[in-house]
Amino acid sequence: MTQKRILLIISGGIAAYKSLELIRELRRRDIACRCIVTKGGQEFVTPLSVSALSGDKVYTELFNLSDEAEMGHIELSRSADLVVACPATADLMAKAAGGLANDLASTTLLATDKPVLMVPAMNVRMWQHPATMRNIETLRADGVTVMEPDEGAMACGEFGPGRLPEIPAIVAEIERMLAGENAGALSGTHALVTAGPTREPLDPVRFLSNHSSGKQGYAIAEALARLGAQVTLVSGPVSLPAPRGVNLVPVETARQMLKACEDALPTDVFVSVAAVADWRPARAATKKLKIKGAGSEHPSMELTENPDILKTLANKRKNRPSLVIGFAAETHDVEEHAVAKLKRKNCDWIVANDVSGDVMGGTENEIALISRDGSERWPRMGKDEVARRLALKIAETVGDEGDGLKLAAE
């Protein structure tokens, strides 16, 4: 799987500063950005800041001898998988709709043979002007994808549609377009994903839990949905918004999570990412536990095992998911423990990850994908890219096996 590349055109408008955040988010997902900054765009962001974040040269002029010698505007327009104009001003969209080519950005848009995404941002009156509406209609008829702007307060003080969409929404649309032919690869597939920690109450105000942020599970659920899967996400308590196009089922305890998973069956794919608490108090106190004072004995508590959700679903005689994928979060001997877990739990795959660093709260992961056929190491990358690759791997398995997943464990 080669790295995806976009050509990002940053045009003039106050929303141009948000393009820096967009570049950072795309880089986190292992999507490379090469950028064009228009003359107007340079009034809001500098080529130096764009270059520092993108890690690539920034292009600004059509008639630049060294740029034309090194790349050339024709090659620049075709060097990426997708061309994105963000923000797309009324002026840039008017040029593109009319086929004008009097600067590097408009020439690139006219010369490209790649898909184009326009992300508009402008004053509400400009957005609603009949000329802008005609231009958008023309662009869409020409095959350009034009996102709808958000509605809200403007920098100019007015209120209405015209705000740049939120960065997560833009990233999701870019990833959808980059998926291309894979966009419907999991259509007709039901995927069940668990994410986050569980909380096991000690008393009405305290609980046993762990540091899981839920980021990896949420990213996997969203990546599967982008490939067309119907996704049920059973999540412990996290501070993350529900992924788009995903049925979110919030739970607290391990027993609640198991019930929610069993209620979601039958399912084709089960990805067990949640960091489920292994133990819970045998009897949770009905009143807050109190410290009795200095010199008193430390309170004791009897613990009992929680249900093993992964093992339970992997060993079902009826409605066993065709593909069962577990996660093994380890601090040492990662692959050895993962291989043992694969056999012990009767999984088809295990995603082994080293959590000795900041993985459980961080944005990156380094994993090994373990199956009965061996292991496959992936380099350290953002959790969103791990999710994308895993979703594609699942889609490849579905496609290779045709109708249904016929795996060795069945």
Side-chain angles (χ1 to χ4, degrees):
M1 286 170 272
T2 58
Q3 184 184 44
K4 295 293 186 178
R5 301 185 63 87
I6 71 163
L7 178 64
L8 177 62
I9 298 173
I10 304 171
S11 59
I14 185 60
Y17 79 93
K18 293 186 178 180
S19 64
L20 302 178
E21 183 183 351
L22 175 62
I23 294 169
R24 182 181 288 112
E25 287 300 310
L26 292 172
R27 290 289 301 276
R28 281 184 55 232
R29 289 161 169 77
D30 198 33
I31 299 173
C33 292
R34 178 168 284 151
C35 301
I36 293 173
V37 184
T38 67
K39 185 176 180 180
Q42 292 174 62
E43 298 293 330
F44 299 93
V45 296
T46 67
L48 180 60
S49 60
V50 173
S51 177
L53 288 173
S54 68
D56 203 342
K57 181 174 181 177
V58 174
Y59 297 83
T60 58
E61 299 293 338
L62 176 60
F63 300 109
N64 182 296
L65 181 59
S66 61
D67 287 351
E68 284 297 295
E70 292 174 10
M71 171 63 75
H73 63 273
I74 300 298
E75 177 61 27
L76 181 63
S77 72
R78 301 174 188 177
S79 62
D81 300 293
L82 174 68
V83 179
V84 180
C86 178
T89 60
D91 178 69
L92 183 63
M93 290 196 296
K95 288 179 180 178
L100 298 181
N102 62 356
D103 62 4
L104 182 57
S106 57
T107 301
T108 297
L109 288 169
L110 192 62
T112 190
D113 60 354
K114 300 299 170 60
V116 176
L117 170 65
M118 295 270 188
V119 189
M122 64 195 72
N123 170 267
V124 57
R125 303 300 176 199
M126 296 173 69
W127 171 253
Q128 295 175 335
H129 195 282
T132 303
M133 294 293 103
R134 286 196 303 272
N135 291 334
I136 292 170
E137 185 177 348
T138 298
L139 289 169
R140 286 174 172 163
D142 289 343
V144 175
T145 300
V146 182
M147 291 186 71
E148 291 292 324
D150 282 356
E151 183 174 308
M154 307 281 180
C156 59
E158 294 188 309
F159 185 95
R163 284 171 55 95
L164 191 78
E166 294 298 322
I167 297 300
I170 300 171
V171 171
E173 184 61 22
I174 289 173
E175 291 186 317
R176 185 193 68 79
M177 294 186 69
L178 287 175
E181 62 185 23
N182 292 316
L186 287 173
S187 180
T189 301
H190 181 200
L192 171 63
V193 181
T194 63
T198 61
R199 289 179 177 175
E200 309 301 332
L202 301 173
D203 61 23
V205 297
R206 301 182 182 92
F207 54 82
L208 294 174
S209 192
N210 56 62
H211 294 294
S212 175
S213 66
K215 292 176 182 176
Q216 187 65 86
Y218 273 58
I220 290 170
E222 187 169 355
L224 291 169
R226 282 199 300 270
L227 294 185
Q230 174 194 341
V231 180
T232 300
L233 174 61
V234 179
S235 173
V238 297
S239 56
L240 297 171
R244 294 199 314 170
V246 168
N247 176 33
L248 177 65
V249 181
V251 297
E252 289 271 343
T253 69
R255 286 175 290 178
Q256 291 171 353
M257 183 171 283
L258 174 60
K259 183 179 185 306
C261 288
E262 291 181 323
D263 288 346
L265 297 177
T267 181
D268 302 293
V269 180
F270 174 45
V271 189
S272 179
V273 195
V276 181
D278 295 317
W279 302 87
R280 71 177 187 274
R283 291 170 295 279
T286 57
K287 296 181 180 179
K288 181 182 175 182
L289 298 171
K290 306 293 288 185
I291 297 175
K292 296 180 180 179
S296 62
E297 294 184 5
H298 294 294
S300 62
M301 180 170 293
E302 182 184 352
L303 298 177
T304 187
E305 275 191 271
N306 265 326
D308 190 324
I309 298 172
L310 175 59
K311 187 174 182 179
T312 299
L313 267 65
N315 286 278
K316 278 191 172 293
R317 292 183 178 275
K318 182 181 178 182
N319 287 337
R320 181 196 189 274
S322 300
L323 180 60
V324 176
I325 305 169
F327 267 64
E330 304 290 349
T331 57
H332 62 284
D333 299 330
V334 176
E335 290 195 40
E336 292 84 346
H337 287 302
V339 170
K341 185 172 184 176
L342 180 81
K343 297 175 181 177
R344 188 172 66 253
K345 303 291 179 87
N346 192 32
C347 299
D348 301 305
W349 300 350
I350 287 285
V351 180
N353 59 323
D354 187 339
V355 294
S356 57
D358 66 345
V359 170
M360 292 195 82
T363 59
E364 292 188 331
N365 216 338
E366 184 175 349
I367 70 164
L369 182 62
I370 312 294
S371 70
R372 288 176 172 78
D373 297 325
S375 63
E376 179 182 318
R377 277 195 166 274
W378 293 357
R380 188 174 181 85
M381 63 185 74
K383 290 182 177 179
D384 292 295
E385 178 61 10
V386 170
R388 186 183 75 85
R389 292 196 183 194
L390 184 62
L392 287 173
K393 195 82 174 176
I394 292 169
E396 288 171 9
T397 302
V398 172
D400 288 344
E401 297 298 341
D403 295 332
L405 298 169
K406 302 179 181 70
L407 298 170
E410 291 186 287

